[in-house]
Amino acid sequence: MVPGMGAVATTFMAGVEAVRKGIAEPVGSLTQMGAIRLGKRTEGRSPAIKDFVPLAGLKDLVFTGWDIFEDDAYESALQAGVLEKELLGKIKPFLKSIKPRKAVFDSDYVKKLDGKHVKKGKNKRDLAEQLRADIRDFKKKSKLDRQVMIWCGSTEVFLKQGPVHASVEAFERGLHKNDPNIAPSMIYAYAALMEGVPFANGAPNLTVDIPVMLELSRRNHAPIAGKDFKTGQTLIKTILAPGFKARMLGLHGWFSTNILGNRDGEVLEDPGSFKTKEESKLSVLEHILQPELYPKLYKGFHHKVRINYYPPRGDNKEGWDNIDIFGWLGYPMQIKVDFLCRDSILAAPIVLDLVLFLDLAKRSEALSGLGIQEWLSFYLKSPMTVPGLYPEHDLFIQLMKLKNTLRHLRGEELITHLGLEYYD
């Protein structure tokens, strides 16, 4: 179930069907293409992840979504311009069958978009109940065993945690009173968690990163993960920055700029939405480099992020980085990165993996009642943690955490990479 049937969502849906039909490969998906080492290196045990843990199969996935435009998934995919018409033509009947439900939407939270395919209600509580009815309707009509909701909608304006987010009771009072601190994405998350449905947040919105959602997640055994899909420029940062710290190379500054022309780029033209995205992107380097531990290398480094809407580029985003580092005796060096990436192509396999892993967590006694699934930080720019715990941004530590969680679930020995046992 996908709020926001735009470029990311339709690329995900189309990709799953293309893989099911055998006309494409699920490149970028850890669940579909990844392996996991078990035991010692000398044992030679590295099964596919999808064979090691009981993941749902691609053939078992069915889709629905909500959107402010009436376009079905085929029309939306054509409009997004991510995938070639030839490929879309091969799966057209499937995509045509996925028609969006009316969305919960308020242009006060996404100022650059407006659409008529929206729900009406006397208050936000009424809208939440309509979403819950949609969830139950989809489950009944599609004869589903389980459901997962993943936010693929636009970036909302920047919001801070407030009293209305402190508890279920406060939040429900706020729904009745149309509290402006309750954004549409929060209404979706509330509806999902009240129905016991896992929820992942693919945007930098506050959404589930508030006490009420953690309370509902734990109470109803509906795992949550967020926030903001780790694609493009931030993916590169979480690869390079750990390398600099590992080699004790210093950083003077990191300037990042992006140009993109899709709906996401248009939305981020609004300063309120950009503020939300900027907060997500800026936090990465501070947490990886830990300037409080390494002040001679990283204290006071300058980090600047820019995002520019450029319609001719469409979904083909360009992320350009200028990185000023220094080495032995303080001598300066520079690195230039020009990443010509496909935003939705990078995001789609993340959506798939989060859906399958959240469904696994829902079925796992060890994970379903935890609330936040920190082991899924691997996929996200601003990983959620319990209050008071800083997030881990290092991509390689995140991957180790994810795989060790899978080993733990299956009763396998955790791998620390110490390696001393080979020399006993």
Side-chain angles (χ1 to χ4, degrees):
M1 299 181 292
V2 185
M5 280 178 49
V8 171
T10 56
T11 303
F12 158 59
M13 294 171 181
V16 169
E17 182 66 1
V19 173
R20 290 192 294 209
K21 284 185 168 293
I23 58 179
E25 294 291 339
V27 178
S29 169
L30 188 65
T31 62
Q32 303 306 301
M33 304 199 78
I36 182 167
R37 191 190 112 198
L38 306 177
K40 295 181 179 180
R41 283 176 280 168
T42 50
E43 294 177 27
R45 292 193 296 145
S46 294
I49 287 174
K50 63 182 179 180
D51 296 329
F52 176 61
V53 289
L55 298 176
L58 297 191
K59 62 180 175 53
D60 298 321
L61 297 180
V62 292
F63 307 92
T64 194
W66 296 263
D67 204 88
I68 63 174
F69 303 110
E70 294 186 61
D71 296 346
D72 59 43
Y74 177 74
E75 293 163 341
S76 182
L78 283 178
Q79 178 68 25
V82 179
L83 302 174
E84 292 81 6
K85 290 182 180 179
E86 181 183 359
L87 174 60
L88 293 175
K90 295 176 181 178
I91 52 177
K92 182 176 179 179
F94 164 75
L95 292 175
K96 293 291 289 184
S97 71
I98 306 172
K99 303 181 188 302
R101 300 166 187 265
K102 287 186 176 180
V104 172
F105 178 76
D106 187 332
S107 59
D108 287 345
Y109 299 88
V110 183
K111 298 185 184 301
K112 290 290 184 177
L113 295 182
D114 198 15
K116 306 302 181 185
H117 195 240
V118 298
K119 295 184 185 298
K120 305 294 183 182
K122 60 183 180 181
N123 55 33
K124 292 181 179 181
R125 180 60 182 266
D126 185 22
L127 295 174
E129 293 304 320
Q130 291 182 46
L131 289 176
R132 293 183 67 180
D134 284 347
I135 294 169
R136 293 191 293 265
D137 176 73
F138 179 53
K139 185 173 186 178
K140 181 180 178 180
K141 289 183 177 177
S142 299
K143 300 178 181 179
L144 304 176
D145 293 322
R146 303 180 305 276
Q147 295 166 286
V148 175
M149 186 183 293
I150 186 161
W151 177 270
C152 292
S154 297
T155 300
E156 296 170 330
V157 296
F158 183 71
L159 292 176
K160 290 186 177 181
Q161 184 175 307
V164 74
H165 307 129
S167 68
V168 174
E169 293 75 18
F171 190 83
E172 290 180 341
R173 286 196 299 270
L175 288 172
H176 277 292
K177 296 178 180 179
N178 288 323
D179 192 301
N181 291 300
I182 297 178
S185 64
M186 296 177 186
I187 302 175
Y188 279 98
Y190 170 83
L193 299 179
M194 286 293 288
E195 293 295 318
V197 172
F199 185 97
N201 177 21
N205 314 326
L206 192 59
T207 313
V208 287
D209 211 0
I210 48 180
V212 56
M213 301 304 175
L214 179 55
E215 182 181 345
L216 283 175
S217 173
R218 287 174 168 169
R219 178 194 299 179
N220 297 331
H221 288 255
I224 53 177
K227 55 193 179 184
D228 206 2
F229 299 138
K230 188 191 292 187
T231 59
Q233 195 169 64
T234 306
L235 173 63
I236 296 299
K237 285 182 178 177
T238 62
I239 293 171
L240 292 179
F244 298 154
K245 189 172 77 170
R247 290 294 301 270
M248 291 287 105
L249 296 173
L251 178 70
H252 285 309
W254 197 314
F255 178 81
S256 302
T257 190
N258 300 264
I259 55 173
L260 71 162
N262 59 13
R263 190 184 297 177
D264 192 34
E266 183 180 7
V267 167
L268 293 174
E269 281 280 276
D270 172 62
S273 292
F274 174 72
K275 173 68 173 174
T276 306
K277 176 67 79 170
E278 184 182 37
E279 289 286 319
S280 172
K281 293 171 78 71
L282 285 175
S283 65
V284 171
L285 292 182
E286 286 281 344
H287 284 110
I288 292 177
L289 297 175
Q290 299 176 289
E292 69 283 358
L293 290 182
Y294 305 103
K296 293 182 180 179
L297 297 175
Y298 306 120
K299 186 177 180 180
F301 70 84
H302 192 75
H303 188 196
K304 182 70 71 176
V305 175
R306 289 282 181 264
I307 299 175
N308 303 285
Y309 179 50
Y310 181 58
R313 188 55 61 95
D315 196 68
N316 297 325
K317 182 168 70 175
E318 181 168 0
W320 183 83
D321 291 87
N322 176 80
I323 311 164
D324 288 287
I325 63 174
F326 59 93
W328 184 246
L329 308 181
Y331 274 70
M333 296 173 280
Q334 283 191 352
I335 297 174
K336 313 283 188 182
V337 179
D338 191 9
F339 189 17
L340 300 167
C341 62
R342 303 287 296 273
D343 211 37
S344 297
I345 293 296
L346 291 168
I350 291 178
V351 177
L352 174 61
D353 285 0
L354 284 172
V355 166
L356 296 182
F357 279 142
L358 280 174
D359 175 60
L360 174 68
K362 171 73 175 180
R363 292 181 281 121
S364 167
E365 185 177 344
L367 299 176
S368 65
L370 286 180
I372 297 167
Q373 305 295 307
E374 193 185 347
W375 61 287
L376 297 178
S377 298
F378 178 72
Y379 297 104
L380 301 155
K381 286 191 185 81
S382 298
M384 294 176 64
T385 65
V386 294
L389 182 65
Y390 72 84
E392 182 56 69
H393 282 278
D394 184 317
L395 185 75
F396 307 101
I397 295 176
Q398 290 173 336
L399 181 60
M400 187 185 301
K401 182 190 293 283
L402 187 156
K403 289 190 172 182
N404 270 338
T405 300
L406 299 181
R407 293 181 184 108
H408 173 72
L409 290 179
R410 304 302 286 170
E412 289 282 345
E413 183 181 356
L414 305 187
I415 291 181
T416 64
H417 300 284
L418 187 62
L420 297 181
E421 66 273 18
Y422 299 106
Y423 299 92
D424 290 342

